[in-house]
Amino acid sequence: MENLDFLYEIDGETWFIENDRNNLKISYKVKEVLSSVKSVYQQINIIDIYDFGRCLILDGVIQTTELDGYIYNEMLSHVPVITHPHPQDVLIIGGGDCGVANELSKYNFLKKIDMVEIDELVVRECIKYMPSVTGMASYDERINFIFNDGIEYIKDKNAMYDIIIIDSSDPVGPAEDLFKESFYLNAKKCLKPDGILTCQSQSPLFNKDIMARTYKILSKYFAIVKIYVASVPSYPGGFWSFTIASDYFDPDKADISKLADNTRYINREVFHSSFKLPNFIKEIINHV
Ligand code: SAM
């Protein structure tokens, strides 16, 4: 077996151990390592894991799995599309597993879907080994892959998009600056004046500082900012947060009748209930 510091042989079985932090290492029994390549940015693996199915792993960290990736991808993409009354042009930043692009392809009224991903190899590997996740992304002509750093891409752009979806990896390595205030400010400029920004804002339990900071920064630049949540078991803690920001459109007033009917997780009830927050998150929001 290849010498990767997150794959271990234990009693004749192969285990993938995600080293989330000193106090938390999560172990998964491996069925098969399907692919292992190193790009200039990161170590990319597609591993078939018992119970979770095929998983994209970057630098030893799970990004998406066949078991639960659709929960995350649907929440990140359908919520802004339904909240905006007339979206046409969408930008995805990151999103290399193409799950968000695949979800967006379900909406015929979207005209252009640009995806700026820093690492072309992630996209190529996912299209090859995870077709159940990439779905329509490599066939839909509205989807344009732009292989570039998302931070650089948006720097000099003004009022180009109705929606920007930030589907980033954790805030380390190439994704670190995707959580910074200067990046959110440029993203706001890149949006049309009535645009909507959505991002994943990490675990409310283990990364509450990041979630709170994201909420605080976006609240400086947008009139309406809301956190919503879902359970994604393959992310540490299982409980995940997303943040949506707009100057005009409130998800509470979204026209839910537009919601695609070929989803596996989100529906009318889930759309609304995902914004009902537990007290500890309300307290975090009230104190930023
Ligand atoms: N759903 C995942 C999660 O929360 O773990 C993230 C999905 S996606 C695989 C994240 C992607 O962001 C990766 O493919 C990575 O290459 C890309 N990425 C990281 N930094 C980036 C940057 N500065 N610009 C564009 N893409 C970036």
Side-chain angles (χ1 to χ4, degrees), residues 39 41-42 44 56 58 61-64 69 72-73 76 92-98 100 115-120 122-123 126 146-152 166-170 172-178 183 200 202 235 240:
S39 72
Y41 301 103
Q42 52 212 345
I44 306 166
L56 168 66
L58 298 180
V61 177
I62 289 186
Q63 304 293 310
T64 199
Y72 170 95
N73 290 324
L76 199 51
I92 306 163
I93 296 179
D97 56 71
C98 301
V100 166
M115 184 178 121
V116 186
E117 161 63 55
I118 203 166
D119 196 339
E120 181 171 3
V122 175
V123 174
C126 288
I146 301 161
F147 296 111
N148 199 348
D149 185 336
I151 294 152
E152 291 303 314
I166 304 166
D167 181 14
S168 61
S169 9
D170 295 340
V172 283
E176 194 176 345
D177 287 355
L178 295 176
F183 169 71
Q200 66 106 340
Q202 303 279 109
Y235 292 160
W240 214 249

